[in-house]
């Protein structure tokens, strides 16, 4: 597979991971870092979870990328995975039947019904993004016309995938898949905190149709060919430094710059209410029975950790003590 013309293999390479002011313009990098650090638990990827009776588990914020620079997990994290009784991830994508495997691999689960009206894609998707979306679909083999026969939910799911991961798909695992593999090799039970179909089932509900288009617009904007060439190096640096709050502030600022201040903020709030608030509650509920026994390694996207509605605060509200474990590349605060 290949990405769009402007997401070339060369453009996706990050020679030096570093912060660049130009990448976050018109925002100030210092302001984003300051605002992000002010979020509850806005800094830190690795956390120790201790139950009231002393049972220990761990929480790790992942980056959904297959770039080798993000696959070199800290030794303390690898040790915790190797010792885990249970490795819990957002989703366990191991198929349990050949029928399900064929359904997903053929794309049957994201196709519109024959004859279903598709004109909404031209009214609900920002026209700038629609052009980039068509290029994206063409670049991964669906064809530009697929925008009319893939469901909005399917388009949203495609938009959540990093175009730069296309080049190593099937060669390098994502960080989440690497953690699952390491856990399975060590003999841990693998726990999906939501089912394989949870995302599709939620967005396929009639009342969530608008949310599907919100996701398409928000993540479709990241396909902008005018994005600074230092953006990827900066995003990697923020992650490796544990500055998840700053990365979240960057996304909010970028959405406001692209869609307008009020529209961008509202869009972020609607998307986060599902991706980072509702799903956090579901993740916690699914993990609690195992956490009571200890020995759990939870690996979920790093943006699920910060804020009052983040997983760290959710665990504390559930009666656990949660302490940050700094890793070598992270900043103190």
């Amino acid at each position: 597979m290949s990405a769009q013309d402007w997401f070339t293999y060369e453009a996706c390479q990050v020679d030096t991971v570093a912060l660049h002011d130009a990448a976050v313009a018109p925002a100030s990098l210092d302001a984003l870092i300051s605002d992000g650090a002010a979020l509850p638990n806005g800094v830190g990827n690795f956390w120790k979870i201790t139950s009231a009776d002393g049972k220990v588990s761990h929480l790790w914020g992942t980056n959904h990328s297959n770039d080798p620079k993000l696959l070199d997990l800290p030794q303390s994290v690898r040790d915790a995975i190797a010792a885990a009784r249970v490795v819990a991830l957002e989703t366990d994508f191991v198929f349990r039947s050949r029928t399900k495997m064929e359904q997903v691999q053929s794309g049957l689960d994201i196709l519109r019904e024959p004859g279903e009206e598709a004109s909404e894609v031209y009214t609900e998707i920002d026209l700038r993004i629609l052009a980039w979306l068509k290029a994206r679909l063409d670049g991964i083999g669906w064809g530009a016309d697929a925008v009319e026969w893939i469901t909005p939910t399917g388009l949203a799911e495609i938009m959540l995938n990093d175009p730069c991961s296309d080049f190593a798909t099937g060669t390098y695992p994502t960080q989440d898949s690497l953690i699952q593999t390491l856990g399975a090799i060590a003999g841990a039970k693998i726990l999906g905190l939501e089912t394989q179909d949870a995302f599709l089932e939620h967005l396929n509900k009639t009342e969530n149709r608008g949310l599907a288009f919100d996701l398409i617009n928000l993540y479709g904007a990241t396909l902008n060919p005018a994005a600074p060439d230092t953006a990827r190096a900066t995003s990697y640096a923020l992650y490796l430094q544990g500055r998840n709050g700053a990365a979240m502030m960057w996304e909010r600022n970028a959405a406001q710059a692209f869609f307008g201040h009020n529209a961008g903020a509202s869009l972020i709030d609607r998307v986060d209410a599902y991706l980072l608030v509702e799903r956090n509650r579901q993740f916690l509920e699914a993990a609690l029975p195992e956490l009571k026994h200890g020995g759990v390694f939870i690996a979920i996207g790093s943006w699920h950790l910060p804020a009052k509605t983040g997983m760290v605060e959710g665990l504390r509200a559930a009666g656990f003590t949660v302490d940050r474990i700094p890793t070598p590349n992270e900043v103190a605060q």
Side-chain angles (χ1 to χ4, degrees), residues 133-165:
L133 174 56
K134 287 184 174 182
R136 173 84 176 122
L137 292 170
D138 198 37
I140 58 176
W142 282 97
D145 292 342
V147 72
E148 296 187 1
W149 41 268
I150 295 178
T151 64
T153 296
L155 294 174
E157 187 175 49
I158 290 170
M159 287 300 91
L160 287 170
N161 295 317
D162 179 4
C164 285
S165 289

Side-chain angles (χ1 to χ4, degrees), residues 256-298:
Q256 291 176 314
F258 188 91
F259 296 103
H261 188 275
N262 292 336
S266 179
L267 177 61
I268 288 283
D269 289 342
R270 293 194 301 272
V271 168
D272 285 357
Y274 168 58
L275 286 186
L276 302 182
V277 179
E278 182 175 342
R279 291 175 73 235
N280 277 354
R281 288 196 296 265
Q282 295 169 354
F283 292 165
L284 181 58
E285 182 179 348
L288 280 176
E290 296 291 356
L291 285 170
K292 293 174 181 177
H293 301 289
V296 182
F297 185 94
I298 300 176

Side-chain angles (χ1 to χ4, degrees), residues 18 50 64 88 105 118 185 187 196 248 281 285 309:
T50 308
H64 307 315
Q105 291 183 341
I185 289 172
Q196 292 181 3
M248 294 168 73
R281 288 196 296 265
E285 182 179 348
T309 56

Side-chain angles (χ1 to χ4, degrees), residues 112 116-117 120 152 203 205-213:
R112 289 179 181 266
E116 183 181 349
E117 177 59 48
E120 59 188 344
L203 293 186
K205 294 178 180 177
T206 302
E207 64 268 27
N208 294 328
R209 194 80 161 185
L211 175 59
F213 284 110

Side-chain angles (χ1 to χ4, degrees), residues 29-44 47 238 241-250 306-307 324 331-333:
L29 189 55
D30 287 343
L32 294 180
I33 289 173
S34 176
D35 291 345
L39 281 176
N41 317 302
V43 176
W47 302 77
L238 288 174
Q241 292 174 9
R243 286 176 159 145
N244 299 315
M248 294 168 73
M249 292 296 103
W250 181 13
R324 181 185 169 199
V331 295
Q333 184 60 29

